[in-house]
Amino acid sequence: MAAHPVDEKLPALKMATSGLQHVAAMYAGVVAPPLIVGAAIGLSATDLTFLTGACLFTAGLATFLQTLGFWKIGARLPFVNGVTFAGVAPMTAIVASTEDKSDALPVIFGAVIVAGLLGFLAAPFFSKAIRFFPPVVTGSVITLIGVSLLPVAFGWAQGPDPRAEDYGSTTYLTLAGLTLLIVLLLRRFTRGFVKQIAVLLGLIIGTLVAIPFGVTDFSPVGEAGIVGFPTPFHFGAPQFQPAAILSLCVVMVVSMTESTADMLALGEIVERPADERTIAAGLRADTLGSALSPLFNGFMCSAFAQNIGLVAMTRIRSRYVVATGGGFLVLMGLCPMAASLIAVVPRPVLGGAGVVLFGSVAASGIQTLVRAGLDRDNNVLIVAVSLAVGIIPITAPEFYHAFPETAKIVLDSGISTGCVTAVVLNLLFNHLGKGREAHDVTHPMEAGEEIAAAH
């Protein structure tokens, strides 16, 4: 009996190149949090490089836990794990409230350890939420994941620094457009292996095209060291402060909610639906990876939604491909020069490829919604309201400005708010009470049969 595509082991070259695609797709997301937090603390260039390498190293270890797994840990799906961006705002708030900035990272690390351990214990209970995720909910959440990620691609397309005068210049947008065109042409006119690594080839070609424009910067390669190791507790022993622990526990809940949605989405895409046991194992991997990460000076880890788009587009579903990508992340953490090679890829080039990747996630969500029974008005209303609530942070970033910072951690995550909305509305419309039958109306703006008859 042939192995499921998720458990398939591909030839070495295909495994390596496909794994590199995953690293390229998530690299910017992994290095952004340490760069932001490190800059807030005022770390030296050397310490900032060390912190970034540590986050790459721990992302690789967390990816191993998720893809390969052991015992009841790991979803064993093609999931990339890395530093969650949801923790950036509370971590910078911790930095701001710490008088001695040298204590900021130890306080953050202590809070991450506690949040990770508590999340690990809560994983089996959290996974029972699977019963509240029928296709109308999962389809809405998958669509939201893709839509929420698209602004990231658009931001990359405009350049590396939003404060720069040339941000959003025609040069940057042209490079993004060319990269997008290259990926589309490769997907349309090539076959087999070349077609599957179209994104990686698009990034390489786009980087080469960017050289005459003076956008490609090779200086990180020359400045990076060949060998480096994230020495345990390099920035000091962890400190445990209640306020910091509470704020990152909230982030952990948000992260677990998003990871649950991501696992459901990926399960649909790879045709191995994520059940309660899979979700519990995946959440254990997320939370254990987070608890161990501070040992090597890393931050809280979570599943990376952008890589779901790569799986959806390439149809390469092997978890061993993603595990290979995790191996590259570990090597980058141990070899700063290798990490700097990915850093050479200009942000506009990443942005052009990101449009395809993240758009593919949204398209997968729409495919799931097609099977959700949208001929029923209840389901149409669930999708309509949950999508509307989920895109609030995208279309109106200051919408929740009057809320407390702790609440904004949850509210500013469109995936989390949209997910909760879809679950609650599904319970309200499809499970509670014995009201009007769901098939009476086919559109939320269309009168029911009894109303039409009255007129």
Side-chain angles (χ1 to χ4, degrees):
M1 183 177 176
H4 190 283
V6 169
D7 299 317
E8 185 180 3
K9 294 181 180 179
L10 306 179
L13 177 61
K14 192 171 185 178
M15 196 94 79
T17 50
S18 300
L20 273 175
Q21 274 198 138
H22 279 284
V23 173
M26 56 90 74
Y27 179 84
V30 172
V31 301
L35 289 176
I36 294 170
V37 175
I41 295 171
L43 294 181
S44 65
T46 302
D47 279 342
L48 198 56
T49 301
F50 182 93
L51 185 64
T52 304
C55 286
L56 288 167
F57 180 78
T58 53
L61 296 181
T63 299
F64 285 151
L65 282 176
Q66 195 66 270
T67 53
L68 303 178
F70 68 94
W71 185 56
K72 295 181 180 180
I73 296 171
R76 293 170 176 82
L77 289 172
F79 247 138
V80 174
N81 270 39
V83 181
T84 175
F85 210 88
V88 171
M91 286 193 294
T92 52
I94 291 170
V95 172
S97 63
T98 305
E99 291 186 14
D100 186 351
K101 299 306 178 188
S102 63
D103 289 334
L105 283 174
V107 170
I108 289 171
F109 292 151
V112 171
I113 290 172
V114 175
L117 292 175
L118 290 176
F120 185 86
L121 295 175
F125 305 102
F126 206 92
S127 67
K128 295 186 184 300
I130 180 69
R131 71 190 69 175
F132 303 120
F133 287 85
V136 68
V137 175
T138 56
S140 300
V141 173
I142 297 168
T143 304
L144 268 177
I145 290 172
V147 172
S148 298
L149 287 170
L150 281 171
V152 176
F154 301 149
W156 289 344
Q158 295 179 81
D161 185 1
R163 295 164 296 183
E165 291 184 5
D166 61 351
Y167 185 71
S169 67
T170 54
T171 300
Y172 287 147
L173 297 182
T174 300
L175 286 173
L178 283 173
T179 304
L180 173 59
L181 180 62
I182 291 165
V183 173
L184 292 175
L185 291 175
L186 288 171
R187 291 287 298 175
R188 175 63 182 85
F189 295 107
T190 61
R191 293 183 178 182
F193 181 52
V194 174
K195 183 176 182 178
Q196 290 177 324
I197 62 167
V199 172
L200 181 61
L201 293 175
L203 291 173
I204 294 172
I205 297 170
T207 301
L208 295 175
V209 170
I211 293 175
F213 292 92
V215 177
T216 308
D217 181 14
F218 290 97
S219 61
V221 180
E223 296 170 1
I226 298 177
V227 179
F229 183 79
T231 312
F233 300 128
H234 174 80
F235 296 99
Q239 299 178 24
F240 303 96
Q241 294 187 2
I245 291 170
L246 178 62
S247 65
L248 288 189
C249 280
V250 173
V251 174
M252 179 58 74
V253 173
V254 173
S255 176
M256 291 173 74
T257 302
E258 293 190 357
S259 286
T260 299
D262 289 345
M263 278 182 265
L264 291 166
L266 189 59
E268 291 283 337
I269 290 169
V270 302
E271 298 176 356
R272 179 183 276 182
D275 56 15
E276 185 178 319
R277 182 182 299 177
T278 301
I279 290 174
L283 292 177
R284 286 192 190 99
D286 269 5
T287 53
L288 181 61
S290 295
L292 294 177
S293 187
L295 174 64
F296 299 103
N297 314 283
F299 297 142
M300 187 179 292
C301 294
S302 179
F304 263 50
Q306 48 262 59
N307 292 81
I308 298 174
L310 193 56
V311 174
M313 193 188 76
T314 63
R315 304 301 296 168
I316 297 178
R317 295 176 278 179
S318 171
R319 60 191 173 103
Y320 295 104
V321 164
V322 175
T324 302
F328 283 123
L329 289 170
V330 170
L331 289 176
M332 287 177 176
L334 298 176
C335 178
M337 185 173 287
S340 66
L341 290 174
I342 299 292
V344 166
V345 179
R347 286 292 176 84
V349 173
L350 279 173
V355 170
V356 179
L357 295 178
F358 306 156
S360 296
V361 178
S364 296
I366 294 170
Q367 287 177 328
T368 303
L369 286 174
V370 168
R371 305 194 302 269
L374 293 186
D375 55 330
R376 299 165 57 188
D377 71 320
N378 288 353
N379 286 347
V380 173
L381 284 170
I382 292 167
V383 174
V385 177
S386 58
L387 289 181
V389 171
I391 65 173
I392 286 174
I394 303 172
T395 56
E398 299 300 317
F399 190 82
Y400 299 113
H401 74 278
F403 284 76
E405 289 299 321
T406 305
K408 287 188 340 190
I409 294 171
V410 179
L411 296 173
D412 283 341
S413 170
I415 298 172
S416 294
T417 55
C419 179
V420 171
T421 302
V423 169
V424 171
L425 290 180
N426 178 62
L427 287 173
L428 177 64
F429 280 96
N430 291 334
H431 294 278
L432 301 179
K434 300 268 186 185
R436 187 180 61 192
E437 292 298 319
H439 61 267
D440 281 349
V441 181
T442 59
H443 191 278
M445 300 302 291
E446 181 180 322
E449 291 177 4
E450 68 277 10
I451 300 174
H455 286 278

